[in-house]
Amino acid sequence: MYTTLDRDLQRYAQQAIQDSALTGAVVVLERDTGAVLALASSPGFDPNLFDTDNPNSASGLGELFQTANNPLLNRATLGAYPTGSVFKMITMAAALESGFYSPDTVYNCGLEFKELTGVTLYDWRFEVELPAAGEITLTQGLERSCNPYFFHIGLDLFNRGLETAISDMARGFGLGEPTGIEIGEASGLLPDPENKLALYGEPWNRTDSVMLSIGQSYLQATPLQVARFVAAIGNGGTLYRPQLVSSIQNAEGEVLSEFSSVVQGTLPVSAENLAAIQQAMVGVIRDPRATAYRPFLGIPDINIAGKTGTAETGEFTDTHAWFAGYTFEERADRPDIAVVVVLEYQGQGSE
């Protein structure tokens, strides 16, 4: 069996998180095929401990199974996390497809959101003591990751009778279901009126729509699921099945099975609206006021689109940090890629 993994890229991804003693995952997909180029999870473990001829096997396995941060969990495919602001591309898609918003729709992004009666929610700038973004367009809202703008979208769509607009769009982006990769994976959990009633015995309300709009509520997604929809945004809307197997040959070298891309669906977004989301993701990297501008200063001149995310865990701990993005080099000698990184309890995604 031959895998789709790029050995060097896999090694770099593993070293990047394991050598830094970070807990989290990295996923790299070929943007236009779904081939998995790197799949790293940290902390890792020494597979030689499972060799019974290894004299350190018994003691090593005993220690491994008692480790609190569960190194045996493949966080890339089985780690289920709230996504935070990397979900905002989905909310932007729902807003644009509703017909009530355009990329140029202006909203005044303050530090506080008080449109929900009796509740005050805050922009991320409030905690880090930055000034409010002020009047910005929807495109700039994604670039600067304005929480109040997306809270407003969630509430506005709910009030217009489009209660499931965001969750329906998220389902169209492939959340809430397995990707179909050949190894074990989690399905995640996509909040919607039906499963809220089943799980909690309560009807869907305005607050649910507001919190889902920024990738919170009880949303759970794997890094692989996020990488799949980010790749789809970058390639023009096609959801490919992530695959690890390049080919299978018998002992004589005869190819019994060979990789071919598998289309699983198309994002439910018009070409015009998808282009607007792509443009905003490019702005996340290139606009000096955007959330990923500073981290990418000094990076070689590569065409990158992306989105940062900072996800609250509900555990009164530091937030999970996300970055999701793709390249659009369109080179003949190497494929464009989609990359997702999640680091547990590491604070702001923009850092």
Side-chain angles (χ1 to χ4, degrees), residues 119-135:
V119 177
T120 299
L121 301 174
Y122 297 92
D123 191 23
W124 62 272
R125 290 171 181 78
F126 179 86
E127 287 192 11
V128 296
E129 299 182 344
L130 288 175
E135 289 197 349

Side-chain angles (χ1 to χ4, degrees), residues 31-76:
R31 190 196 68 181
D32 300 336
T33 68
V36 179
L37 301 181
L39 204 66
S41 178
S42 178
F45 62 91
D46 181 2
N48 291 309
L49 294 175
F50 288 87
D51 179 2
T52 53
D53 292 331
N54 182 345
N56 299 315
S57 175
S59 60
L61 285 177
E63 182 179 341
L64 183 64
F65 284 115
Q66 293 174 25
T67 302
N69 56 5
N70 197 358
L72 292 173
L73 176 68
N74 178 10
R75 287 168 163 82

Side-chain angles (χ1 to χ4, degrees), residues 231-247:
I233 293 172
N235 68 34
T238 302
L239 282 165
Y240 289 102
R241 176 162 70 93
Q243 297 182 75
L244 274 165
V245 178
S246 176
S247 66

Side-chain angles (χ1 to χ4, degrees), residues 42 44 97 139 153 157 188 192 229 233 237 254 287 340:
S42 178
E97 289 296 314
T139 297
I153 291 170
L157 294 179
D192 64 20
F229 82 66
I233 293 172
E254 177 187 2
D287 189 308
V340 166

